Amino acid sequence: MNSRVKELRKALNLSCELFGQKIGVGKNAISRIETGKNGLTEQNIKLICQEFNVNEIWLRTGVGEMFAEMSKKEKVAKLVGKALREDDEFVQNVFIALGEMTVDEWNVVKKFVDKLKNL
């Protein structure tokens, strides 16, 4: 399991420090986990899977895909939940504004996004 933590971290292109910050541990703890000096706790496993959308079976056994499959609705829910947990008033105001938009306003946004995709 320890080598898969390193494989995951490299796949995410994160330093030990940034990876550890995401799950609430220091860079030295991640280094010790990756080298096998320390094991993963159940809490570490749950946080890694939740934070990085990792397939828990893959993390524990190496079987299957690294990342869990999510539906579009699940992805949206995860992103919105993550953004709102930041407790940033600007982010909260953006989501409130988006939620209060009319169909006509959404159509304007859709046209704008479509133009961005074609640039």
Side-chain angles (χ1 to χ4, degrees):
M1 193 165 20
N2 303 64
S3 63
R4 286 186 293 283
V5 171
K6 185 172 187 173
E7 183 181 347
L8 171 65
R9 183 178 62 76
K10 296 281 186 181
L12 295 168
N13 199 29
L14 293 175
S15 66
C16 287
E17 184 174 9
L18 289 175
F19 187 90
Q21 283 176 359
K22 298 280 188 181
I23 63 167
V25 299
K27 67 180 179 180
N28 291 334
I30 297 301
S31 179
R32 288 190 301 271
I33 289 168
E34 289 182 356
T35 59
K37 292 178 183 171
N38 288 8
L40 283 170
T41 66
E42 286 298 313
Q43 182 179 1
N44 292 147
I45 292 168
K46 296 295 182 194
L47 287 170
I48 288 169
C49 292
Q50 181 180 5
E51 181 65 31
F52 301 113
N53 191 39
V54 171
N55 176 351
E56 187 173 336
I57 294 169
W58 174 84
L59 183 60
R60 289 182 184 274
T61 67
V63 174
E65 298 296 319
M66 182 183 291
F67 296 103
E69 291 293 320
M70 290 181 8
S71 70
K72 188 178 268 191
K73 286 183 180 183
E74 289 171 323
K75 288 178 186 177
V76 169
K78 182 175 179 168
L79 289 170
V80 170
K82 185 176 178 180
L84 294 179
R85 280 192 303 275
E86 296 298 319
D87 202 29
D88 182 321
E89 189 172 342
F90 170 76
V91 172
Q92 292 171 357
N93 287 336
V94 167
F95 280 98
I96 289 169
L98 291 172
E100 293 175 346
M101 287 174 48
T102 66
V103 172
D104 289 338
E105 291 168 331
W106 274 110
N107 286 332
V108 171
V109 171
K110 183 182 182 309
K111 287 179 185 176
F112 174 73
V113 170
D114 287 344
K115 282 184 182 181
L116 286 176
K117 288 192 316 189
N118 293 324
L119 290 179

